[in-house]
Amino acid sequence: MPSEERKEAALKALAEPIETYRSLVVTTVEEVRGYLATHKAEGALEDNGSTAAGLGQFAEGRIDIGRFESLVSEEKQAQDPETIKKVEKAFDILRTASASGADAFYLKLKPGDRLRDAVADRFAEIGRAFGAARVAGLATLGVLNGKADDLLQPLEFDGWNTGERKLSPPLVVELEGSDLVASELAEFLDGNVKLVLLVNGEAPPAPLVRLITPSTFVLQTPDAEELEKKFAAASAPAIAALMPADAAQFVHDSAGGERLQDRLKVGKLPEKPPRKKLGGMSARQQNEDLDQLRALSTAQESAASVAESTGAAPAQMTSVDKLASWLLSNTDLNE
C-alpha cells in the first residue's frame, strides 16, 4: 500500500479517539471563553456552580478539587490584569488546538531522525493544550500563580498526569525501518496513548516484541485494515506497526485474558533470520527479538497443547505464575 494510502487508512481507523480529544478541547475552549466574557463584563468571576463543573472536563484527574477549594475564599476577588492576560494566552492555545487538522496527529521522520525524540517533541506540543487548561482552571479558582508561565509552554509527556494521559490523542508516525527502535517508545505507552508506526523499507523483523506487557496492546502487521478491528477501540495503551510483508506478524491483545496464550496470537514468522546490521540494531539484536517472539509463541502453544491433552480447564494464574510469565517475556532464552 502506498505511503499516502497507509496514512489515510491509519487516520481513518483512529477517527473516533481523535474526535473524542477534539470534542474535549472544543468544550474547554467554550468554558474559557465564558470565563473571559464574564470577567470582562462584570469585573469578577461569579459562582456559576460547583468548582469541579467550573473547571471543565480537562480538570478531571488533574486538579485536587478539595485542596483548591480550601485555598479559595467564598468571596472570589476580581482577577488582576496579568492573570487575565495569561488566561487569554491559554485561550489562544486551546483554540489553535481545537482547529488543528489531521496533520496534528501525524508525524513523518526524516531518515536518520531519532524516533523517541520526534515523538517526545510532538507530545510536548500536544501537551500545550493540557497546560493551557490547567492555567484556565487555576484562574477560575483564583489561585493562578507564577507557574502559569511554565504551563503555557510545551508540556513534555513526563509532565502529564494520569488524567491527561487518558485523554491523549493518538499519533501516527511514518519512518524508515532502519530508524525503528521500538524500545524507546515504552515511556509513552501509558493511559490511553495510541501510536501507529508506518514503516518504510527494510526493517527489523520483530521490533515491537520488546513492548509486550500484560496491559499493552501490541500489533505488528502489513495490513492497515487490522487497525480497525480492535486496535482503535483498545482501552489500554496501544502501539501498532504497519510493517513490510516479510516481517513477523502478531497481535498481543491486552484484553484477551490473564494468560499469555489468551493474549498473544502469532500469525507469521520470517523464513530467514536477519544477517546484517540495520540502522543502530545489529543482526544479533534483531535475531534476539525474533527468538523472543518465537519463544513466547512456543510457550503459548505448549500451554494450549497441555490443556487440550488433559481435557482440563486451565487454572487461573497465581501471583507466582504471573511473575514467571513476566520473567519469561523479558529473558533472553539464548543465553
Side-chain angles (χ1 to χ4, degrees):
M1 180 182 292
S3 174
E4 191 62 27
E5 290 185 15
R6 289 191 306 162
K7 172 186 173 182
E8 292 179 2
L11 290 172
K12 179 182 177 182
L14 297 171
E16 184 173 342
I18 288 175
E19 184 56 33
T20 297
Y21 169 79
R22 278 177 167 159
S23 295
L24 290 171
V25 176
V26 169
T27 298
T28 305
V29 166
E30 294 309 311
E31 290 167 349
V32 178
R33 189 197 305 276
Y35 165 79
L36 290 171
T38 300
H39 179 87
K40 289 181 178 179
E42 302 177 15
L45 175 64
E46 294 184 358
D47 187 2
N48 293 319
S50 69
T51 299
L55 289 173
Q57 297 183 59
F58 267 125
E60 184 178 356
R62 178 182 303 104
I63 296 175
D64 184 335
I65 301 300
R67 177 172 177 268
F68 278 102
E69 282 184 330
S70 68
L71 297 175
V72 184
S73 64
E74 293 183 2
E75 291 286 334
K76 290 185 172 65
Q77 301 300 315
Q79 302 292 3
D80 61 89
E82 187 63 26
T83 292
I84 295 304
K85 185 184 299 184
K86 291 174 180 177
V87 174
E88 287 177 333
K89 186 173 181 180
F91 176 71
D92 288 339
I93 290 171
L94 288 163
R95 187 168 54 179
T96 298
S98 70
S100 59
D103 281 347
F105 313 104
Y106 168 76
L107 175 64
K108 185 171 183 178
L109 273 62
K110 296 178 181 178
D113 283 354
R114 185 180 176 187
L115 175 59
R116 184 266 169 201
D117 291 346
V119 171
D121 288 346
R122 179 56 60 90
F123 272 137
E125 283 301 317
I126 290 172
R128 285 172 66 93
F130 295 134
R134 293 188 196 182
V135 168
L138 293 172
T140 299
L141 290 169
V143 292
L144 188 61
N145 53 35
K147 293 183 178 180
D149 292 334
D150 293 335
L151 291 174
L152 292 173
Q153 302 302 315
L155 181 63
E156 294 185 359
F157 187 81
D158 63 6
W160 297 15
N161 63 32
T162 300
E164 290 161 348
R165 294 182 181 202
K166 288 181 179 178
L167 295 174
S168 174
L171 184 60
V172 177
V173 184
E174 185 171 356
L175 73 163
E176 297 300 312
S178 55
D179 297 322
L180 176 50
V181 184
S183 58
E184 293 185 337
L185 299 177
E187 66 182 282
F188 304 110
L189 294 176
D190 191 26
N192 198 35
V193 171
K194 292 182 175 63
L195 293 171
V196 176
L197 308 178
L198 309 181
V199 184
N200 299 323
E202 190 175 4
L208 265 57
V209 73
R210 297 190 181 215
L211 299 175
I212 293 177
T213 65
S215 61
T216 303
F217 191 108
V218 184
L219 171 66
Q220 251 195 226
T221 178
D223 186 1
E225 293 183 0
E226 291 291 322
L227 296 176
E228 297 190 42
K229 293 182 178 179
K230 290 186 177 181
F231 178 83
S235 58
I239 183 167
L242 298 187
M243 300 287 291
D246 59 352
Q249 299 175 24
F250 68 88
V251 58
H252 175 265
D253 184 355
S254 53
E258 291 190 347
R259 301 171 304 161
L260 179 63
Q261 59 264 35
D262 294 329
R263 301 192 307 266
L264 180 64
K265 308 297 179 186
V266 179
K268 174 185 175 182
L269 292 171
E271 296 180 1
K272 298 180 180 179
R275 298 190 181 281
K276 64 178 182 179
K277 180 180 178 182
L278 185 61
M281 294 194 69
S282 67
R284 174 184 174 277
Q285 290 173 307
Q286 296 174 63
N287 274 294
E288 283 193 337
D289 287 348
L290 197 54
D291 288 344
Q292 181 75 327
L293 180 59
R294 188 177 290 110
L296 294 175
S297 177
T298 301
Q300 167 202 27
E301 293 171 358
S302 297
S305 177
V306 169
E308 183 177 350
S309 64
T310 60
Q316 293 293 319
M317 289 184 72
T318 65
S319 297
V320 174
D321 294 330
K322 293 177 182 178
L323 176 60
S325 178
W326 184 87
L327 290 172
L328 174 63
S329 67
N330 288 274
T331 301
D332 181 5
L333 299 181
N334 289 320
E335 293 183 354

